[in-house]
Amino acid sequence: MIPKKLLTIIVLVLFSASSSVSWAQMNATIVWDEIKHIASENGYKISALINQSENGINITDFSLINKATEISEVATFEIDLLDIQILERSDGSVEIRPDYGQEITIKLYAGGEVSSFVLKPLSDNTTMVISGEVGAPAFQINSSLFGLQLIEYDLPSMYQGNEFFEASIVLNEMVSNQAFAGKIQDSPKSSFQAGSINLFLNFDIPAEQMSGLVKYNLEDILVISRQDNLGSNTSANLTSLLETGYNALGSYSVGAGSVEFDFSGPDGNLEGKLASENSNVSSSLTQNGLLFDAYFANGLFKLSSSVMPIPVDISLKNGNYGFTVPIIKQMQSQNFGLRLGFSDLQIAQDLWELLDPNKNLINGPINAKIAFSGKAKLLENLIELRPDIYEDNNLSSIPFEVDEMFLEKLDLSLLGTSLQGEGSVSLDNEDLTTFAGFPKPVGSFEFVLSGVNGLVDKLISSGFIDSDTGMGARMMLSMFTVPTGEDELSSKIEFNSLGHVLANGQRLR
């Protein structure tokens, strides 16, 4: 198996033209200097033979070395890469041409043992070009097929020689663009498209009695991102960047996608599948905080194991989740929020019958929509909080003050019942005595609950609960709700300015 960091370095060094310094005059020397800069920033030293030609630079015997240290590494990496031509073209652009007929060799030295992996580059009609005006470069990759395949490996002596590994990643119909703008190239933009991405892993380690198979497939991928006011000081932390106007926007969309896996070991096996027909993710990061939202459609989740008494088989029509979080402290209140929802979540009938063999309960779709928001003052920058702030004895010192909370939407339905709710409260952070150390709330929440009495009857008749438990549940509901229709209960919970808590006009506190 190939460590993720190694693959990242290979891609960065071979195929990236992003930079924290100006490209100045576009030529092969500038591009080569930038490749060396990227490698150095990631802790690698370069060994290579350089031949300057009339058309550019030829790089042979190209390798990266990252030696282990007590602090940062547990192994020494040596990566023998492809020969590369960096060619200056007549139109003022620079082309990078790796020799895809060669192989990439990775060696890991750890504890006196050596592991080696040989990767075969996969390429069809691939071009990599750096172009654009001086001071505002653009880097483009076009490829009908692009990827890596594991073809050889040699593992330490602890293995008995019967181990088996297969691995590959393939991108089809790929177009990648990265452009820099702004007076100091502080506003990069990028886009990535691919017809499909396919990842395949297969392994068998008899000495450890372990084997596994992973298939990961995505179709119709589109990723777009933009950053503004990034600045030229790469040592600046995120707080400083945000305070000086930095912002980032991104979106990600994909068509059909799936992950299938099958693992076996001494303790049993685990097999499953996670899939959806399409999904979309959007995010933004500004002085006003982080906004994130994700949506997906026609999803399914299957999971089975020899150690699980019941297999899991769930599908849903639509799902979403998202949040809004302030990042840096400001004098005024900032928005925060949480969003979660799904529709037509369905449990497979075979699984449902294991839970309800007498078929007394409705195996109908489950729906949920929850939207919660508010306003709060952040008293310290979120990314600079001390790690011990979340320990039990420090919970009261978390540096923010909530001013308002809004239950914008609560809509749940399952087993023939439904619950709707909405409301809001404002919090008096100056009054910490009325509620024993907590800010005093003023406001109200209203709820409507339908079908619950019918559900209690079915739970009793099916044997899930006894009649005494059912009666206790009804008595508890009667303390907070009033009947407003056929098998319908309503509740209004109020927090008044005197510090009283009322349920449907009746004082609870």
Side-chain angles (χ1 to χ4, degrees), residues 120-421:
K120 177 184 177 181
L122 306 174
S123 174
D124 184 16
N125 296 323
T126 301
T127 59
M128 304 180 187
V129 176
I130 301 170
S131 61
E133 299 178 358
V134 174
F139 180 48
Q140 184 177 73
I141 303 176
N142 287 273
S143 180
S144 299
L145 184 147
F146 189 77
L148 290 170
Q149 179 181 10
L150 176 66
I151 58 173
E152 292 182 21
Y153 52 87
D154 186 11
L155 300 176
S157 58
M158 63 179 292
Y159 299 103
Q160 303 301 312
N162 295 320
E163 69 284 339
F164 172 76
F165 290 94
E166 287 183 302
S168 65
I169 182 170
V170 177
L171 292 79
N172 294 292
E173 303 302 330
M174 181 184 71
V175 179
S176 176
N177 291 280
Q178 187 169 23
F180 295 83
K183 294 181 179 179
I184 54 174
Q185 300 179 27
D186 61 350
S187 298
K189 299 179 181 179
S190 65
S191 66
F192 172 86
Q193 290 179 271
S196 65
I197 297 178
N198 304 297
L199 172 65
F200 177 77
L201 301 174
N202 186 19
F203 66 90
D204 186 8
I205 310 175
E208 301 294 329
Q209 301 179 44
M210 294 178 58
S211 63
L213 176 68
V214 178
K215 296 180 181 179
Y216 180 53
N217 300 293
L218 294 177
E219 297 180 3
D220 298 326
I221 305 101
L222 174 61
V223 182
I224 299 174
S225 67
R226 188 189 81 195
Q227 300 178 75
D228 295 315
N229 304 313
L230 179 59
S232 59
N233 185 3
T234 57
S235 64
N237 60 35
L238 181 58
T239 299
S240 299
L241 290 173
L242 290 171
E243 289 175 342
T244 54
Y246 169 76
N247 64 79
L249 301 173
S251 67
Y252 162 89
S253 64
V254 62
S258 66
V259 180
E260 298 180 61
F261 55 88
D262 188 352
F263 302 113
S264 297
D267 298 326
N269 76 295
L270 180 67
E271 182 178 358
K273 181 178 181 178
L274 181 66
S276 66
E277 285 193 4
N278 57 75
S279 58
N280 179 271
V281 174
S282 61
S283 64
S284 67
L285 177 63
T286 68
Q287 286 183 342
N288 296 323
L290 173 63
L291 178 67
F292 177 91
D293 281 290
Y295 304 87
F296 58 96
N298 296 322
L300 64 86
F301 176 57
K302 296 184 178 183
L303 186 67
S304 62
S305 171
S306 58
V307 298
M308 292 172 56
I310 302 175
V312 176
D313 189 348
I314 298 173
S315 64
L316 57 80
K317 184 177 181 180
N318 294 289
N320 71 277
Y321 58 93
F323 56 84
T324 303
V325 179
I327 299 293
I328 59 176
K329 62 181 180 182
Q330 298 183 18
M331 294 295 294
Q332 69 273 21
S333 295
Q334 302 181 70
N335 295 324
F336 68 89
L338 178 66
R339 300 166 291 279
L340 175 66
F342 54 83
S343 64
D344 292 347
L345 185 151
Q346 189 77 51
I347 299 175
Q349 188 62 32
D350 292 344
L351 174 58
W352 185 260
E353 289 179 357
L354 292 175
L355 302 174
D356 180 27
N358 297 322
K359 301 181 181 179
N360 291 315
L361 302 177
I362 300 173
N363 181 19
I366 302 173
N367 299 279
K369 292 181 181 179
I370 302 172
F372 180 82
S373 65
K375 291 183 175 295
K377 291 187 180 71
L378 196 60
L379 307 179
E380 290 186 23
N381 295 322
L382 186 65
I383 57 178
E384 297 175 2
L385 296 182
R386 305 183 311 276
D388 64 352
I389 200 71
Y390 302 104
E391 296 179 2
D392 291 342
N393 59 346
N394 283 328
L395 289 177
S396 61
S397 62
I398 294 179
F400 66 83
E401 290 183 351
V402 177
D403 296 324
E404 295 178 283
M405 292 190 298
F406 306 93
L407 180 59
E408 299 176 7
K409 186 77 171 181
L410 173 62
D411 193 347
L412 305 175
S413 64
L414 72 159
L415 300 176
T417 68
S418 65
L419 172 65
Q420 289 85 37

